[in-house]
């Protein structure tokens, strides 16, 4: 027998029972190994697991193993991933685990303390805080935390709950259940505790009821039809969630913005960013009544295609074609087609720069990368280089200013491109994304910016718009942005 600690797709051997096999029965060996693993885990102090999966069925050895008394759920090899996900659904909020930013140790929230300077990062002890590389980022995280109030401001009634600092996956599940939208329609891709079981359906092939795709009776009835009122002109478009909700007749306590933010963010890019930065492309769209958008790095957006019908409706009579392109899209959905009203959608499985050789790949007018994270994915390098070589207008969003800054530094250091100054997206998601090791304010599609050709003369500074920070009046700064010191290249 052997016991492993599993981290993602990696297994670490913690011990074997070879020396005990002749003097202990099966049950004793198993319990001894479990105790050893709890007393000497891979990192840090002793702790117990929430789940134990036994590779060989205990019943085959005549063993009835029950560890619920010590808080451990035991699974046999026959138990599916979806069953484990369902078991997680019933774990109380107190069992939501945080993690140390330094060593990765996991545990309940009382085991960790925030950095006293920035209040953004969690550590399990002073050693991890002193010997991590956080000191380089700490002054920047401190400024990023100043944006917490601004990023959490929405003209929607329910956001007092969904923008809380500890709005974790269990609280999100409870919120969706109260609104009877948990695991309903398009919301299925927003139920994080169900993602293990939902991965059986590749992106682009998830089936959901077409009768009520939004799972909300009033909203589904409204969104089933185009707006009855006149379409806002391109010169005076809708500007935020309050305008959109009033225009469509939604109550301000409706959570429907949680699945419409991708579509409304695209609308924001087309009617605000495009004429501001690329007026020739914008005027051509109005003349030809046609726009083709390449959504790069798409995943769950391909399953939420119906929500993009709202973007198309707000652009009528312009015909909107969207190509969802991503390596995570199921090969079975490759070159699939969907359409309704003035919206046409196609899905392509693969990397954007490689699909350029595909003979049926349509030419695009603009490219959009939702939550791009250019600093996290190496595959984006060739894609960015291709976009810059073609001169296609390219827009990105990101979760927060910290992620934006990592992206800005990545493309600058590799001389691929430069990023425009970040803008707060009024159509960002109203649901906060809480990570286990930091409390930085993160929201899907929170920050808007566009990619520009690389220039060696571009000032390599960290830009934080003053309007993002609630205490900006207290800062000694005369410009519209904070110009922080240059980040070292080794960050």
């Amino acid at each position: 027998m052997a016991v492993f600690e599993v981290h993602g797709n990696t297994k670490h051997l913690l011990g074997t029972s070879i020396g005990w096999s002749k003097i202990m029965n099966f049950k004793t060996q198993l319990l001894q190994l479990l105790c050893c693993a709890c007393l000497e885990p891979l990192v840090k102090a002793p702790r117990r697991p929430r789940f134990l999966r036994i590779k060989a069925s205990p019943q085959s050895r005549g063993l009835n193993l029950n560890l619920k008394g010590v808080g451990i759920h035991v699974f046999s090899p026959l138990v599916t991933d979806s069953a484990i996900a369902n078991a997680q659904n019933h774990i109380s909020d107190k069992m939501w685990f945080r993690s140390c930013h330094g060593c990765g140790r996991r545990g309940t929230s009382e085991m960790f303390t925030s950095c006293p300077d920035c209040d953004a990062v969690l550590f399990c002890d002073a050693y991890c805080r002193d010997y991590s590389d956080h000191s380089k980022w700490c002054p920047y995280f401190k400024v990023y935390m100043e944006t917490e109030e601004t990023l959490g401001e929405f003209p929607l009634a329910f956001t007092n709950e969904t923008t809380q600092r500890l709005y974790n996956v269990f609280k999100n599940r409870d919120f969706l259940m109260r609104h009877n939208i948990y695991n309903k329609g398009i919301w299925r891709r927003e139920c994080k505790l169900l993602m293990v079981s939902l991965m059986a359906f590749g992106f682009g092939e998830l089936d959901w009821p077409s009768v009520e795709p939004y799972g909300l009776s009033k909203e589904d009835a409204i969104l089933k039809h185009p707006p009855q009122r006149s379409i806002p002109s391109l010169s005076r478009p809708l500007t935020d969630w309050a305008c959109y909700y009033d225009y469509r007749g939604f109550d301000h306590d409706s959570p429907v913005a949680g699945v419409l933010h991708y579509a409304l963010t695209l609308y924001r890019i087309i009617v605000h960013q495009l004429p501001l930065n690329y007026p020739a492309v914008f005027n051509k769209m109005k003349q030809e009544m046609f726009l083709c958008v390449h959504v790069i790095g798409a995943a769950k957006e391909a399953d939420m295609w119906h929500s993009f019908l709202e973007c198309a409706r707000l652009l009528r009579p312009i015909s909107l074609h969207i190509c969802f392109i991503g390596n995570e899209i199921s090969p079975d959905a490759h070159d699939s087609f969907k359409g309704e009203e003035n919206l046409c959608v196609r899905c392509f499985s693969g990397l954007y720069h490689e699909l350029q050789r595909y003979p049926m790949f349509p030419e695009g007018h603009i490219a959009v990368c939702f939550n791009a994270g250019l600093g996290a994915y190496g595959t984006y390098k060739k894609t960015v280089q291709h976009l810059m070589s073609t001169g296609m207008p390219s827009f990105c969003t990101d979760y927060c200013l910290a992620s934006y800054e990592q992206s800005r530094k990545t493309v600058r250091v590799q001389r691929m491109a430069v990023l425009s100054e970040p803008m707060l997206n009024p159509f960002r998601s109203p649901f906060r994304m809480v990570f286990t090791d930091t409390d930085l304010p993160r929201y899907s599609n929170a920050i808007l910016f566009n990619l520009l050709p690389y220039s060696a003369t571009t000032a390599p500074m960290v830009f934080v718009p003053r309007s993002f920070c609630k205490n900006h009046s207290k800062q000694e700064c005369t410009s519209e942005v904070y110009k922080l010191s240059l980040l070292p290249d080794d960050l």
Side-chain angles (χ1 to χ4, degrees), residues 43-286:
V43 293
K44 293 296 175 179
R47 59 192 184 277
R48 68 187 174 198
R50 285 187 296 169
F51 303 103
L52 173 67
R53 172 175 274 178
I54 302 175
K55 203 169 184 179
S57 174
Q59 287 74 18
S60 65
R61 304 291 185 97
L63 174 63
N64 182 19
L65 191 65
N66 188 344
L67 298 176
K68 290 183 179 179
V70 291
I72 299 176
H73 299 265
V74 179
F75 295 106
S76 74
L78 301 178
V79 176
T80 62
D81 288 340
S82 60
I84 296 178
N86 290 334
Q88 286 181 300
N89 289 348
H90 298 290
I91 296 175
S92 67
D93 176 62
K94 294 181 180 179
M95 289 302 294
W96 182 60
F97 279 15
R98 305 304 303 266
S99 61
C100 176
H101 188 71
C103 68
R105 176 190 180 188
R106 297 175 67 247
T108 49
S109 57
E110 65 271 11
M111 297 171 59
F112 305 95
T113 56
S114 299
C115 170
D117 295 322
C118 68
D119 195 33
V121 178
L122 299 179
F123 292 104
C124 58
D125 55 30
Y127 178 87
C128 279
R129 183 177 67 248
D130 295 340
Y131 288 92
S132 69
D133 62 354
H134 173 63
S135 58
K136 301 175 184 178
W137 278 100
C138 190
Y140 305 100
F141 280 10
K142 184 176 182 179
V143 175
Y144 297 149
M145 287 299 289
E146 287 281 314
T147 69
E148 183 174 27
E149 184 174 305
T150 302
L151 287 172
E153 287 181 352
F154 291 90
L156 303 174
F158 64 89
T159 55
N160 286 337
E161 177 181 356
T162 62
T163 59
Q164 292 299 310
R165 184 176 290 195
L166 294 181
Y167 184 76
N168 58 51
V169 292
F170 296 104
K171 292 183 177 180
N172 182 66
R173 174 204 61 195
D174 295 342
F175 177 89
L176 299 181
M177 282 184 169
R178 288 201 309 273
H179 286 80
N180 199 30
I181 51 179
Y182 189 72
N183 199 22
K184 298 284 186 68
I186 298 177
W187 288 98
R188 295 179 70 187
R189 286 299 189 195
E190 295 298 325
C191 299
K192 299 176 178 62
L193 288 172
L194 288 175
M195 285 308 293
V196 173
S197 59
L198 287 181
M199 286 311 295
F201 302 94
F203 291 115
E205 62 179 12
L206 182 63
D207 184 30
W208 41 264
S210 58
V211 178
E212 290 190 350
Y214 300 95
L216 299 160
S217 299
K218 180 178 180 179
E219 289 77 359
D220 274 298
I222 293 175
L223 294 171
K224 187 176 181 180
H225 306 285
Q228 301 301 310
R229 302 168 60 182
S230 59
I231 303 298
S233 67
L234 294 177
S235 60
R236 300 186 67 181
L238 302 176
T239 55
D240 58 22
W241 283 122
C243 292
Y244 173 72
Y245 268 52
D246 292 340
Y247 173 74
R248 282 302 251 156
F250 298 141
D251 297 328
H252 280 221
D253 61 353
S254 169
V256 72
V259 287
L260 287 178
H261 60 92
Y262 287 102
L264 271 295
T265 295
L266 179 58
Y267 170 75
R268 173 75 177 183
I269 289 172
I270 294 172
V271 301
H272 185 269
Q273 298 292 94
L274 193 58
L276 186 66
N277 297 285
Y278 302 94
V281 178
F282 182 72
N283 291 330
K284 183 179 179 180
M285 176 192 73
K286 293 194 295 182

Side-chain angles (χ1 to χ4, degrees), residues 338-399:
K338 299 179 180 70
E340 194 170 340
E341 298 178 27
N342 60 321
L343 173 69
C344 292
V345 171
R346 293 177 70 181
C347 292
F348 294 91
S349 177
L351 298 175
Y352 183 72
H353 56 273
E354 295 177 351
L355 285 168
Q356 302 303 314
R357 300 189 295 267
Y358 185 61
M360 302 299 293
F361 193 72
E363 182 179 354
H365 299 119
I366 67 171
V368 176
C369 306
F370 293 115
N371 301 312
L374 301 179
Y377 302 101
T379 54
Y380 263 122
K381 181 176 181 179
K382 292 184 179 180
T383 291
V384 171
Q385 289 173 335
H386 174 79
L387 291 172
M388 294 299 96
S389 67
T390 61
M392 182 186 293
S394 305
F395 302 91
C396 299
T397 69
D398 227 319
Y399 298 120

Side-chain angles (χ1 to χ4, degrees), residues 287-299:
Q287 292 170 1
E288 298 181 354
M289 293 295 176
F290 175 75
L291 183 70
C292 181
V293 180
H294 287 177
V295 176
I296 302 174

